[in-house]
Amino acid sequence: MNISESEEILKSIKNADGIIIRWPKKKEEKRAVLEYLITKFEKGKNILS
């Protein structure tokens, strides 16, 4: 899946503020959401402590 495909999928899954508004059922849509969420974390930062 390339970036433009992921962006197209995310248009129907997140709102203008970048908030996920529904959890997808299709595997390719789930992958797009997970790849999007990965970008929201800082590498090396422990959020649990």
Side-chain angles (χ1 to χ4, degrees), residues 1-14 20 27-36 39:
M1 179 181 318
N2 63 39
I3 294 171
S4 62
E5 290 173 334
S6 292
E7 289 173 354
E8 193 64 34
I9 290 169
L10 289 171
K11 283 182 183 178
S12 66
I13 295 175
K14 66 182 183 86
I20 304 298
K27 186 176 182 177
E28 66 182 19
E29 292 177 345
K30 287 179 185 177
R31 182 178 180 100
V33 169
L34 291 173
E35 288 176 355
Y36 168 74
T39 67

